[in-house]
Amino acid sequence: VLDVHVDAVARSMGYRSSESCAGYANSKDPQFNAEANAFLDWRDDFWRDAIEYMVAVLAGEKPIPTADELLAALPKFTRPQI
């Protein structure tokens, strides 16, 4: 579910996949560069928070969430405006 969501965010901006979007991080085009770097920052935060959430579930500190509940608890991507 999480991988599918990350790819869906990249596709929502017109990229083929998360890897395709990330590949523009060093682009000389300001829009591609900004989108890729914002995506990479968000992806890091998204996975870091997802792992922390899962650790809390395994420790019994949080109930097992539904996919929708988990996605709602994780950071949202904001597309940069250039």
Side-chain angles (χ1 to χ4, degrees):
V1 170
L2 299 180
D3 282 330
V4 170
H5 179 72
V6 171
D7 275 338
V9 168
R11 284 192 309 276
S12 75
M13 293 187 290
Y15 297 96
R16 186 172 16 96
S17 65
S18 59
E19 292 84 6
S20 173
C21 179
Y24 284 89
N26 292 318
S27 176
K28 292 181 182 180
D29 180 278
Q31 185 69 36
F32 294 150
N33 181 282
E35 289 175 349
N37 283 290
F39 177 80
L40 289 171
D41 288 344
W42 166 79
R43 187 182 68 179
D44 288 349
D45 293 342
F46 179 87
W47 280 110
R48 187 178 308 105
D49 288 2
I51 291 167
E52 288 176 10
Y53 197 103
M54 289 181 218
V55 166
V57 168
L58 292 173
E61 298 166 2
K62 290 186 179 189
I64 298 172
T66 65
D68 288 339
E69 289 169 340
L70 179 58
L71 288 174
L74 296 175
K76 309 302 178 262
F77 179 75
T78 302
R79 189 174 189 172
Q81 299 300 314
I82 299 288

